[in-house]
Amino acid sequence: MNTRELSKNEYFFGHKACAGCGGSLAVRIALKVLGDRAVAVLPAGCMSAVGFNFPQLAFANNAIISTFAGTASMMTGILAGLNARGEKDFTVVSFAGDGGTADIGIQALSGAIDRNDDILYICYDNEAYMNTGIQKSSLTPYGARTTTTPPGTVSRGNEFRKKDMLEIVRAQGIPYAATASIGYLQDYMNKVEKASKIHGTKYIHVLAPCPTGWGYATDDTVDIAKAAVDCGVWPLREFENGVYSETPARGGDKAEYLRRQTRFSHLTDEEVGAITGGSL
Amino acid sequence: MIKPTLHSGEFTYPEGTYFQAGYLTQKNAGWRTARPVLDTNACVGCLQCYLHCPDGTILETDDKKVTFDLDFCKGCGICAKVCPKNAIAMTPERGLSQ
Ligand SMILES: Cc1ncc(C[n+]2csc(CCOP(=O)(O)OP(=O)(O)O)c2C)c(N)n1
Ligand code: SF4
Ligand code: SF4
Ligand code: SF4
Ligand SMILES: [Mg+2]
């Protein structure tokens, strides 16, 4: 499905995300690929906060807010309900943040994969708990400043490494899992479309830069998302029916990628060198 | 075309925790400090701007160019940056007519 073949309908429109929000682009494009029959589940997080502001509802398709920890279990419930009603040709899809996925919702996600429930779990990764004011999650990268990892003389920002969610879901034997980036939308669209046609649990982890939390100009979102892939910080990976593949990095400067974002501005050149060189 | 639309006036409160999908009560135009302005001669209708707009506020026109929904465009400037033809200029709102 290319840009022209994509539905002209807008299912996520009029929302209150910050200007230049990468997460909202990830939601908008996935829903355009999936169409009218997508039922969206959103836990607490930016995308639910900006989409559901009663009486203003920015989703044109069926969409619901789940408990923070229960995204995947609510998806299972919706799947069971629609099946019981004899509905056909629908997709139960989620848009959960990195905190909602890798920390708070990981147990429910693991349970759904165990049962191989027929759902498409999409994690939009803005690398922190943005909706509550930029707190560190287990998907925040090493060295990043957040409000819970403030750099100073002792702390140098986040001292923990980003969790590898793809490896975690892969270890459970999930039928389909992939990473994506809103900097490479055609690849993301292909993966969403492919996943929607596979039976069982599907997991897509899309990097969705956040100008507010990362500290860069609003027009840079797509470019930064591209740069993350190009320099190898965020490789495009796919795991399908037990076969793993990865798009080779195009080359690009990891240090430059870090330096474009104020969340890394406290790092010294030595620290940046150690991070990009792999010793930190 | 399916898309959330603006409503004004009274609405009926729902009896449960649900409400009409795609129901908007506010525009986002007031957020914008800069406005995308198209150079129609430079535009080749590739739709890269439309694809990458986080707000879905770019529409294709009959003559295969694009136009902006200025009620909902937030002025992020992504469209201008992704345009391969540099056909979009972000122009400060101050001084422009509404
Ligand atoms: C059980 C529970 N704990 C905490 C919160 C507060 N809360 C709401 S949104 C949010 C941040 C979510 O972060 P993430 O999942 O990464 O999504 P983002 O906001 O970054 O898009 C938090 C902590 C909540 N709503 N429910
Ligand atoms: S804080 Fe970040 S993720 Fe949240 S709406 Fe704003 S730009 Fe999007
Ligand atoms: S990206 Fe540029 S050339 Fe392509 S349709 Fe948009 S304005 Fe026209
Ligand atoms: S400035 Fe941003 S919101 Fe406005 S049309 Fe361009 S990409 Fe869309
Ligand atoms: Mg987050």
Side-chain angles (χ1 to χ4, degrees), chain A residues 152-168:
Chain A
T153 45
V154 179
S155 161
R156 301 306 296 146
N158 177 30
E159 58 179 297
F160 302 99
R161 243 159 289 266
K162 191 176 171 82
K163 191 186 268 183
D164 190 343
M165 277 303 295
L166 207 73
E167 283 300 323
I168 291 172

Side-chain angles (χ1 to χ4, degrees), chain B residues 3-67:
Chain B
K3 185 177 180 172
T5 47
L6 271 173
H7 295 257
S8 57
E10 295 292 303
F11 60 86
T12 316
Y13 278 94
E15 287 168 13
T17 53
Y18 51 83
F19 195 59
Q20 185 178 328
Y23 191 99
L24 303 180
T25 55
Q26 298 169 344
K27 298 176 180 178
N28 293 335
W31 295 29
R32 202 169 52 235
T33 57
R35 177 188 299 192
V37 176
L38 183 73
D39 174 353
T40 44
N41 293 322
C43 173
V44 294
C46 68
L47 295 185
Q48 282 304 300
C49 54
Y50 151 83
L51 183 68
H52 289 92
C53 172
D55 290 87
T57 50
I58 302 179
L59 301 148
E60 192 176 18
T61 54
D62 290 340
D63 58 349
K64 297 277 176 241
K65 309 277 179 182
V66 291
T67 183

Side-chain angles (χ1 to χ4, degrees), chain A residues 98-99 126-130:
Chain A
D98 46 287
N126 51 28
E127 304 195 318
Y129 289 84
M130 293 308 178

Side-chain angles (χ1 to χ4, degrees), chain A residues 44-46 68 97-100 124 126 128-132:
Chain A
C46 277
F68 207 170
D98 46 287
Y124 67 94
N126 51 28
Y129 289 84
M130 293 308 178
N131 187 53
T132 37

